[in-house]
Amino acid sequence: MLFRSHLEPFFGNIRPAHLTPAHVEEYKTLRLSEKDQRFKDGKGRAPKKKTINKEISYLSAMVSWMSDREQKLCPPPNFTIKGFPAKQTKAPLPVVPSREEMIRLLRASERKYRPLFALCYYAGLRKTEATQLRAENVNWSQGYMLITGKGSKERIVPIHPRLRVYLRRANKEGYLFLNPKTGRPWQDFKKALQRASDKAGISQHVYMHLLRHGFGTHSIQSGINLRSLQILMGHSSSQVTERYTTLAAQFLTEELLKFGRKKKK
């Protein structure tokens, strides 16, 4: 699918032996100038550099396979097929709502969705981790949850005292929370989260993973050390967790600016 939709139209008539760095650079430039054809009104955005890098990676793997000793379909290229530098593809830091805004968001949300939102904020769970959480993986007496995250990796997450309140109506067996209409785990929360955001008076765009970002950022602000937070959030690398120190630093800068101001009466 990837080859036919993007790579074949450009590289289809170029033999691997004739491939040059100029071809790769031209492809990258061309892709950046294209618009997503799914938008019929012509307002589609150009693909992200991260997306183009995946295409370049696919091309590189395909050429490597063709030039393999066993295949011998073409000579190996005399250059490295490169995409955009990592610093150009790094996702921008999210803008995280304050603790007060998060609490308002939870209170403004509809009761049937509130526990799932609370799991993402007070336990730092991913959306799938929250919806797939089962009663047998929650130890109420000792106060922890056994979470299965990315790559089927398991981690233990304590149940925050404030989270317990939201979990009182959880099922005693099977999935903790089910969609009453389908009898299956919840799938889509976009509209429900947007309604809660509007009701809470939060002007920025709010999405499920932002609740997890809120947990990470507010944990750092509260003094939780980086290693503990990495374990709680299930990050395989500490570099992923470290971005929350940057978000927390922004908060501390804002707090410092209050220094010397006269307190409003």
Side-chain angles (χ1 to χ4, degrees):
M1 181 65 181
L2 178 62
F3 177 76
R4 289 185 177 181
S5 59
H6 300 299
L7 296 172
E8 186 178 28
F10 185 89
F11 294 103
N13 294 323
I14 302 174
R15 293 190 176 186
H18 298 159
L19 187 66
T20 66
H23 287 129
V24 178
E25 292 304 314
E26 185 181 352
Y27 175 78
K28 288 154 62 177
T29 302
L30 179 65
R31 285 289 284 130
L32 281 176
S33 67
E34 293 179 351
K35 290 185 177 180
D36 195 328
Q37 298 302 313
R38 291 176 298 177
F39 295 89
K40 304 300 182 182
D41 57 3
K43 297 181 180 179
R45 295 174 296 178
K48 295 181 180 179
K49 290 183 177 181
K50 188 174 182 180
T51 300
I52 299 173
N53 271 7
K54 291 180 181 179
E55 298 166 7
I56 296 297
S57 178
Y58 186 94
L59 174 68
S60 178
M62 186 170 61
V63 173
S64 296
W65 176 82
M66 294 177 70
S67 61
D68 186 83
R69 292 180 180 179
E70 294 183 4
Q71 304 300 329
K72 295 182 179 179
L73 298 175
C74 69
N78 57 6
F79 69 97
T80 302
I81 300 176
K82 295 181 179 179
F84 293 101
K87 62 182 180 180
Q88 293 185 22
T89 59
K90 191 176 293 185
L93 290 171
V95 178
V96 177
S98 66
R99 298 184 198 186
E100 292 75 17
E101 287 176 319
M102 285 294 194
I103 293 173
R104 290 209 315 266
L105 178 71
L106 291 175
R107 291 175 177 172
S109 61
E110 296 156 59
R111 182 173 293 182
K112 58 185 177 182
Y113 301 114
R114 201 175 296 163
L116 292 162
F117 296 165
L119 279 168
C120 293
Y121 179 58
Y122 283 120
L125 303 192
R126 300 177 178 91
K127 172 187 170 183
T128 305
E129 293 171 349
T131 57
Q132 297 297 313
L133 186 59
R134 300 179 67 88
E136 53 265 35
N137 292 329
V138 180
N139 189 316
W140 298 105
S141 60
Q142 296 187 37
Y144 70 84
M145 301 175 289
L146 181 61
I147 305 300
T148 302
K150 286 186 176 180
S152 299
K153 293 181 180 179
E154 294 184 337
R155 70 183 188 276
I156 291 177
V157 178
I159 302 175
H160 192 283
R162 292 186 180 179
L163 179 58
R164 280 185 176 271
V165 178
Y166 292 100
L167 301 182
R168 286 179 300 185
R169 297 176 180 271
N171 295 324
K172 304 304 180 184
E173 56 181 29
Y175 293 107
L176 280 191
F177 299 100
L178 294 172
N179 184 333
K181 292 183 178 180
T182 64
R184 297 178 180 179
W186 292 92
Q187 295 291 329
D188 189 20
F189 305 97
K190 290 181 181 178
K191 292 182 179 179
L193 195 57
Q194 188 59 55
R195 287 195 298 270
S197 176
D198 293 341
K199 189 176 179 180
I202 300 174
S203 58
Q204 73 177 88
H205 174 57
V206 177
Y207 48 96
M208 283 295 286
H209 208 72
L210 190 63
L211 302 179
R212 176 173 157 88
H213 287 322
F215 170 81
T217 304
H218 299 159
S219 293
I220 292 292
Q221 292 172 2
S222 300
I224 295 178
N225 68 70
L226 205 61
R227 177 56 182 161
S228 297
L229 184 60
Q230 180 186 349
I231 295 172
L232 287 171
M233 300 192 74
H235 290 152
S236 57
S237 170
S238 61
Q239 291 182 339
V240 180
T241 317
E242 284 170 5
R243 63 180 172 174
Y244 293 115
T245 61
T246 304
L247 293 171
Q250 293 172 357
F251 164 80
L252 294 175
T253 300
E254 293 173 3
E255 290 296 298
L256 182 61
L257 291 176
K258 297 177 182 178
F259 177 74
R261 293 179 184 173
K262 290 184 178 180
K263 196 171 183 180
K264 292 182 180 180
K265 295 182 180 180

